Amino acid sequence: MSKQKLSHLKQSERDARRKLILEAARSLFSKKDFRNVNVREIAAEAGVSVGTIYNYYADLDELFIDVFLKNIEEITCLLDKENSEGFPTLEKLCEIYITYLSQNMTFYQMMGHFMLGGKLSHESTTKLNQRMRILMDRIEAILRARGFHEDARSLSHALFSALNGIMISYAGYPGRNIEEVHKYTTKLAGIIAGVFKAKLKD
Amino acid sequence: MSKQKLSHLKQSERDARRKLILEAARSLFSKKDFRNVNVREIAAEAGVSVGTIYNYYADLDELFIDVFLKNIEEITCLLDKENSEGFPTLEKLCEIYITYLSQNMTFYQMMGHFMLGGKLSHESTTKLNQRMRILMDRIEAILRARGFHEDARSLSHALFSALNGIMISYAGYPGRNIEEVHKYTTKLAGIIAGVFKAKLKD
Amino acid sequence: MSKQKLSHLKQSERDARRKLILEAARSLFSKKDFRNVNVREIAAEAGVSVGTIYNYYADLDELFIDVFLKNIEEITCLLDKENSEGFPTLEKLCEIYITYLSQNMTFYQMMGHFMLGGKLSHESTTKLNQRMRILMDRIEAILRARGFHEDARSLSHALFSALNGIMISYAGYPGRNIEEVHKYTTKLAGIIAGVFKAKLKD
Amino acid sequence: MSKQKLSHLKQSERDARRKLILEAARSLFSKKDFRNVNVREIAAEAGVSVGTIYNYYADLDELFIDVFLKNIEEITCLLDKENSEGFPTLEKLCEIYITYLSQNMTFYQMMGHFMLGGKLSHESTTKLNQRMRILMDRIEAILRARGFHEDARSLSHALFSALNGIMISYAGYPGRNIEEVHKYTTKLAGIIAGVFKAKLKD
DNA sequence: TATGAATGAGCCTTCATTCAT
DNA sequence: AATGAATGAAGGCTCATTCAT
């Protein structure tokens, strides 16, 4: 076997391992607030030792960011799939996004964490910005397809953050159950979609 | 002096003390992320002992909630003042709110904290809901004054959460300075105001 | 009781507690290499909790330095007692010092630790220099009393470090037992005393 | 090729590898305190894997000892060269030794490490004693050449340890720069040389 | 023999909360 | 009611050593 192949194999093994840890973390985060998850739990969930986590991630923050990036990618992917079948309506877009967030609370939890106090390395910042831009490209594409041409980028940002805000403000609303919450956040998302659409007819 | 008066005095003293602690916490939170503030710092800032904090608050979360409630009240108050001089335009409303958030990061930081993982006592939940409802009354009043009659309550929620989302998603955007951020969040708030207004003309 | 007295009491209590921890550490160090002692052991030995250690010392290094300073003080004290009864001969001085070191291995172990890699805070450095100077004053006084007048300070340093060197180089000599070691280090100290005395007769 | 030759070749290869690792470690130690160097750094510096280190050394301590032994040999060698051109004066001897230590801090750092807490295998102890004895032979030879006949061995030990002590006590003196330190340690070494010489004239 | 990922015990330190005074 | 020292569980991270390939 050539050295190149070997190193390629090793690299893919490494990637697999990293993914294993990443998915273990994501799995845990779906069960409990990521701020209350510790290295030992992640290691146990991944079936590796604590030390191994640090062979793949410099520190926990780096892992958390990877989870965040993974979420961004997934949403991007989701929209890509949708877009390939003809661009969705605004309502559909909002619904897709809200549904994704409902099933991935970590995403907007981390949004709060990293966008506010969290210290990001320069590298992480760069990666984050890059992936975020790609996601925004998709949203912008949909808006353009729906007829929004003027300042479509800012509109994308506004829509994106409005939907995040809905989840953060109402997804954990004390005293309501999951179903009620999902129904209401979806309704609010619909309202947002509605007002955006109204803009078109100006 | 009657017993009643005495107890009244004591109660007001107690309130004053509680307020002292509350304001000390708020003062600290304006300087640093509330997640990195600890009891000792708050006690020091308030000029009381750590133990005293626990004489007025069952635990730190209760204090944090009090800060949160205080913020809600302040915004409510801000809107009351504005409303008393004739209801503001949507643009103005959004600007007021965004500006307040810009100067009180803790508010949307705590939104993320409590609305997501934070455990709230039943009492706190009740209080929170009550105050939130009052704030929503004000926003709803403005929307109604601007001609939004259909499902004005949900519209208020949608607007409110959209603005929160703008701050959470962009207020700490890595790699941008405070001024740029404020300019952009204000712009996005303006867009939100714009789309909401468009809805009217449908 | 006056407030002053109270605060005085409290301060002395604090000092007592600090001393308790200090002595617990010293006790442990007499049994095993200080580099292998951890906070939990010290806490257990002192009969306090781990957290308490940190109420009295910013970190372990600060505690270690305190032990080191305590040693310097003890030696100073030892020499003071000796000097008060008429200055000892060089032989006696060397013997006293070597004997002290034999019973306080930590001292020259820490000499190696702090004088070489150890990071000292500015405050610690200051304290250390000050105490060291006082110790050197005593040694210098003895040398002067014995007739060494020319550059007595440097001679003190030379003598002091020579004796340290004897302990470091031979006190743990592999393959020898404690008694043999003590006998030999004492002999070497005697030699050092002898050559220093010879200098006088030049 | 005979089997013997082959095994000889292999042995010399093995020696070369061991030397490679040894020199890598020494190179690192000249840049930073050996107590803060870890296996991975050494492996990287040597251009081999971590596992390879353990193919040549049972554990890190064994490698450290090898470095120590190498230092002893170097000093021995240095003195041999000097002695071959006629035995140096005591002053010269002290200067040579102090200068060597100044450039090889690891030596007296390890002196502290191994002579005190470090666990040495029987084999290491044997080797160490043997090399140390050879070094002492050289020092003793110089002392004898300078006229010290009585108990020249112990005098050698005393001189050797005194010089070590100077370095340990003053080479890292907090608050002084390298040049000042070297000047002062050299001065102290001169004093030691001076008092030893005085002994002769008794 | 060389490799280097995996291991996991062990370390220092933090901090919300308690409780004797 | 006020105090603040004491508590100790919990957490992130390191690193010498092993071992399957």
Side-chain angles (χ1 to χ4, degrees):
Chain A
M1 199 188 290
S2 74
K3 263 215 164 162
Q4 206 183 7
K5 255 187 186 163
L6 189 68
S7 110
H8 179 270
L9 254 184
K10 273 185 182 167
Q11 183 56 42
S12 76
E13 245 182 72
R14 201 179 157 75
D15 289 348
R17 203 73 156 177
R18 206 176 145 110
K19 193 171 176 181
L20 178 76
I21 295 168
L22 179 69
E23 290 306 329
R26 294 189 63 194
S27 168
L28 279 176
F29 297 165
S30 72
K31 292 173 215 152
K32 62 190 279 195
D33 189 334
F34 85 98
R35 291 161 301 191
N36 298 326
V37 168
N38 65 42
V39 222
R40 283 191 257 273
E41 283 176 286
I42 298 173
E45 178 82 19
V48 300
S49 73
V50 168
T52 297
I53 305 273
Y54 289 91
N55 278 338
Y56 291 88
Y57 290 98
D59 53 33
L60 275 199
D61 262 356
E62 203 178 293
L63 169 55
F64 290 168
I65 286 168
D66 227 24
V67 172
F68 192 50
L69 293 176
K70 181 77 182 174
N71 280 322
I72 298 179
E73 271 173 45
E74 279 188 346
I75 301 168
T76 303
C77 194
L78 224 58
L79 296 184
D80 275 342
K81 208 180 300 174
E82 203 68 30
N83 289 350
S84 71
E85 301 168 6
F87 292 98
T89 60
L90 277 200
E91 281 91 350
K92 182 74 182 161
L93 166 61
C94 291
E95 191 211 307
I96 291 170
Y97 187 58
I98 287 290
T99 299
Y100 180 83
L101 292 191
S102 300
Q103 293 159 358
N104 296 273
M105 298 196 0
T106 317
F107 184 62
Y108 53 87
Q109 281 177 346
M110 285 197 176
M111 182 89 69
H113 181 72
F114 286 120
M115 290 309 188
L116 305 178
K119 285 291 166 214
L120 293 172
S121 68
H122 180 66
E123 200 194 329
S124 294
T125 300
T126 305
K127 256 197 212 166
L128 180 62
N129 281 332
Q130 179 200 22
R131 308 286 170 97
M132 204 61 112
R133 241 178 279 123
I134 295 174
L135 171 58
M136 287 306 147
D137 287 344
R138 302 303 183 272
I139 296 180
E140 188 181 340
I142 296 173
L143 287 178
R144 285 188 184 281
R146 289 292 138 207
F148 293 88
H149 297 296
E150 202 185 325
D151 207 359
R153 193 55 161 204
S154 295
L155 273 172
S156 307
H157 289 170
L159 179 58
F160 167 74
S161 49
L163 297 175
N164 291 334
I166 286 172
M167 292 304 290
I168 290 168
S169 307
Y170 291 104
Y173 211 84
R176 305 220 190 134
N177 67 40
I178 287 189
E179 228 162 278
E180 287 170 343
V181 158
H182 188 56
K183 199 171 156 191
Y184 197 59
T185 51
T186 303
K187 178 182 176 181
L188 293 181
I191 290 179
I192 292 293
V195 295
F196 269 78
K197 278 178 65 175
K199 181 72 181 177
L200 264 190
K201 304 174 191 162
D202 270 359
Chain B
M1 201 185 288
S2 73
K3 259 206 168 171
Q4 205 184 10
K5 253 188 187 166
L6 189 67
S7 109
H8 180 271
L9 251 186
K10 274 186 180 169
Q11 184 56 40
S12 77
E13 245 183 68
R14 203 179 155 76
D15 289 349
R17 202 75 150 182
R18 207 175 144 108
K19 191 172 177 182
L20 178 74
I21 295 167
L22 179 68
E23 290 306 327
R26 294 190 63 196
S27 169
L28 277 176
F29 296 164
S30 71
K31 292 173 215 150
K32 60 189 282 195
D33 191 332
F34 87 98
R35 289 162 302 190
N36 298 327
V37 168
N38 63 41
V39 225
R40 280 164 65 179
E41 284 175 285
I42 298 173
E45 180 83 17
V48 301
S49 74
V50 168
T52 297
I53 305 266
Y54 286 88
N55 280 335
Y56 291 88
Y57 290 98
D59 54 32
L60 271 201
D61 264 356
E62 201 179 294
L63 169 55
F64 289 167
I65 286 168
D66 229 21
V67 172
F68 192 50
L69 293 177
K70 181 77 183 174
N71 279 322
I72 298 179
E73 272 173 45
E74 278 189 345
I75 301 168
T76 303
C77 191
L78 221 60
L79 296 184
D80 275 343
K81 206 180 300 173
E82 202 68 31
N83 290 350
S84 71
E85 300 169 8
F87 293 98
T89 61
L90 276 200
E91 281 91 349
K92 184 70 183 164
L93 167 61
C94 291
E95 192 210 307
I96 291 170
Y97 187 57
I98 288 289
T99 300
Y100 180 82
L101 292 191
S102 300
Q103 293 158 359
N104 296 273
M105 297 196 2
T106 316
F107 183 63
Y108 53 88
Q109 281 177 346
M110 284 197 176
M111 183 89 68
H113 182 71
F114 286 119
M115 291 308 188
L116 306 177
K119 287 287 167 219
L120 291 172
S121 68
H122 180 66
E123 198 194 331
S124 293
T125 301
T126 306
K127 254 197 214 166
L128 180 62
N129 280 334
Q130 177 199 23
R131 308 286 171 96
M132 203 63 109
R133 244 178 276 122
I134 296 174
L135 171 57
M136 287 306 147
D137 287 346
R138 301 302 184 274
I139 296 179
E140 189 181 338
I142 296 172
L143 287 178
R144 287 189 182 282
R146 286 295 137 203
F148 293 88
H149 297 296
E150 201 186 325
D151 205 0
R153 193 54 161 203
S154 294
L155 272 172
S156 306
H157 288 170
L159 180 57
F160 168 74
S161 50
L163 297 175
N164 291 334
I166 287 173
M167 291 304 289
I168 291 168
S169 307
Y170 291 104
Y173 211 83
R176 305 220 189 135
N177 67 42
I178 287 189
E179 228 162 278
E180 287 169 343
V181 157
H182 188 58
K183 201 171 153 191
Y184 197 60
T185 51
T186 303
K187 179 183 175 179
L188 293 180
I191 289 178
I192 291 293
V195 295
F196 269 79
K197 278 178 64 175
K199 182 69 182 178
L200 265 190
K201 303 174 192 162
D202 269 0
Chain C
M1 202 186 287
S2 73
K3 262 215 166 162
Q4 205 185 8
K5 254 187 186 164
L6 189 69
S7 111
H8 179 271
L9 255 185
K10 273 185 182 169
Q11 183 57 41
S12 76
E13 243 181 72
R14 201 179 157 74
D15 289 348
R17 204 73 156 176
R18 206 176 145 110
K19 193 171 175 181
L20 178 76
I21 294 167
L22 180 70
E23 291 306 328
R26 294 189 64 195
S27 168
L28 279 176
F29 297 164
S30 72
K31 292 173 214 150
K32 61 190 279 196
D33 190 333
F34 86 99
R35 290 161 301 191
N36 297 326
V37 167
N38 66 41
V39 223
R40 282 194 261 273
E41 284 176 286
I42 298 174
E45 178 82 19
V48 301
S49 74
V50 168
T52 297
I53 305 274
Y54 289 90
N55 278 339
Y56 291 88
Y57 290 98
D59 53 33
L60 274 199
D61 262 356
E62 203 179 293
L63 170 55
F64 289 169
I65 286 168
D66 227 23
V67 171
F68 192 48
L69 292 176
K70 182 76 180 173
N71 280 322
I72 298 180
E73 271 173 47
E74 279 188 346
I75 302 169
T76 303
C77 194
L78 223 59
L79 296 185
D80 274 342
K81 207 180 300 174
E82 203 67 32
N83 290 350
S84 70
E85 301 168 7
F87 294 97
T89 60
L90 278 199
E91 280 92 349
K92 184 71 183 163
L93 165 63
C94 291
E95 191 211 307
I96 291 170
Y97 187 58
I98 287 290
T99 300
Y100 180 83
L101 292 191
S102 299
Q103 292 158 359
N104 296 272
M105 298 196 359
T106 317
F107 184 62
Y108 53 88
Q109 281 177 347
M110 285 196 175
M111 183 87 70
H113 182 71
F114 286 120
M115 290 308 188
L116 305 178
K119 284 291 166 216
L120 292 172
S121 68
H122 180 67
E123 200 194 328
S124 294
T125 301
T126 306
K127 255 198 212 165
L128 180 62
N129 281 333
Q130 179 200 23
R131 308 287 170 97
M132 204 60 113
R133 242 178 278 122
I134 295 175
L135 172 57
M136 287 305 147
D137 287 344
R138 301 303 184 271
I139 297 180
E140 189 181 339
I142 296 173
L143 287 179
R144 286 188 183 281
R146 288 293 138 206
F148 293 88
H149 297 297
E150 201 185 326
D151 207 358
R153 193 55 163 205
S154 294
L155 273 171
S156 307
H157 288 169
L159 180 57
F160 167 75
S161 51
L163 297 175
N164 290 333
I166 286 172
M167 292 304 291
I168 291 168
S169 307
Y170 292 104
Y173 211 84
R176 304 220 189 135
N177 67 41
I178 289 190
E179 225 163 280
E180 286 169 342
V181 158
H182 187 57
K183 198 170 155 192
Y184 197 60
T185 51
T186 303
K187 178 182 175 180
L188 293 181
I191 290 179
I192 291 293
V195 295
F196 268 78
K197 276 177 66 175
K199 182 71 182 178
L200 264 190
K201 304 175 190 162
D202 269 1
Chain D
M1 201 187 286
S2 73
K3 258 206 168 170
Q4 205 185 9
K5 254 190 186 164
L6 189 69
S7 107
H8 180 270
L9 252 184
K10 274 186 180 169
Q11 183 56 41
S12 76
E13 245 182 68
R14 204 179 154 74
D15 289 348
R17 202 77 150 180
R18 206 175 144 109
K19 191 171 176 181
L20 179 75
I21 294 167
L22 178 70
E23 289 307 325
R26 295 189 62 196
S27 169
L28 278 176
F29 297 165
S30 72
K31 292 172 214 151
K32 61 189 279 196
D33 190 332
F34 87 99
R35 289 161 302 190
N36 299 326
V37 168
N38 63 40
V39 225
R40 280 165 65 180
E41 284 176 285
I42 298 173
E45 178 83 18
V48 301
S49 74
V50 168
T52 298
I53 306 267
Y54 287 89
N55 280 336
Y56 292 88
Y57 290 98
D59 54 32
L60 271 201
D61 263 356
E62 202 178 294
L63 169 55
F64 289 167
I65 287 167
D66 230 21
V67 172
F68 193 49
L69 293 176
K70 182 76 181 175
N71 279 322
I72 298 179
E73 272 173 45
E74 278 188 346
I75 302 169
T76 303
C77 194
L78 222 60
L79 296 184
D80 274 343
K81 207 180 300 173
E82 203 66 33
N83 290 349
S84 71
E85 300 169 7
F87 293 99
T89 60
L90 277 199
E91 280 92 349
K92 184 70 183 163
L93 166 62
C94 291
E95 192 210 307
I96 290 170
Y97 187 58
I98 287 290
T99 299
Y100 180 82
L101 292 191
S102 300
Q103 292 159 0
N104 295 273
M105 297 197 1
T106 317
F107 183 62
Y108 53 88
Q109 281 178 346
M110 285 197 176
M111 183 89 68
H113 182 71
F114 285 119
M115 291 309 188
L116 307 177
K119 286 289 167 219
L120 292 172
S121 68
H122 180 67
E123 198 194 331
S124 294
T125 301
T126 306
K127 256 197 215 166
L128 181 62
N129 281 334
Q130 177 200 22
R131 309 287 171 96
M132 204 60 111
R133 243 179 277 122
I134 296 175
L135 172 57
M136 287 307 147
D137 287 345
R138 302 302 185 272
I139 296 180
E140 188 181 340
I142 296 173
L143 286 179
R144 286 189 183 280
R146 287 295 138 205
F148 293 88
H149 297 297
E150 202 186 326
D151 205 1
R153 193 53 161 206
S154 294
L155 272 173
S156 306
H157 289 170
L159 180 58
F160 168 74
S161 52
L163 296 175
N164 290 334
I166 287 173
M167 292 303 290
I168 290 168
S169 308
Y170 291 105
Y173 211 83
R176 305 219 189 134
N177 66 41
I178 289 190
E179 229 163 275
E180 288 169 342
V181 157
H182 188 58
K183 200 171 153 192
Y184 197 59
T185 50
T186 303
K187 179 183 174 179
L188 293 181
I191 289 178
I192 291 293
V195 296
F196 269 77
K197 277 177 65 177
K199 182 70 182 177
L200 264 190
K201 302 173 191 163
D202 269 0

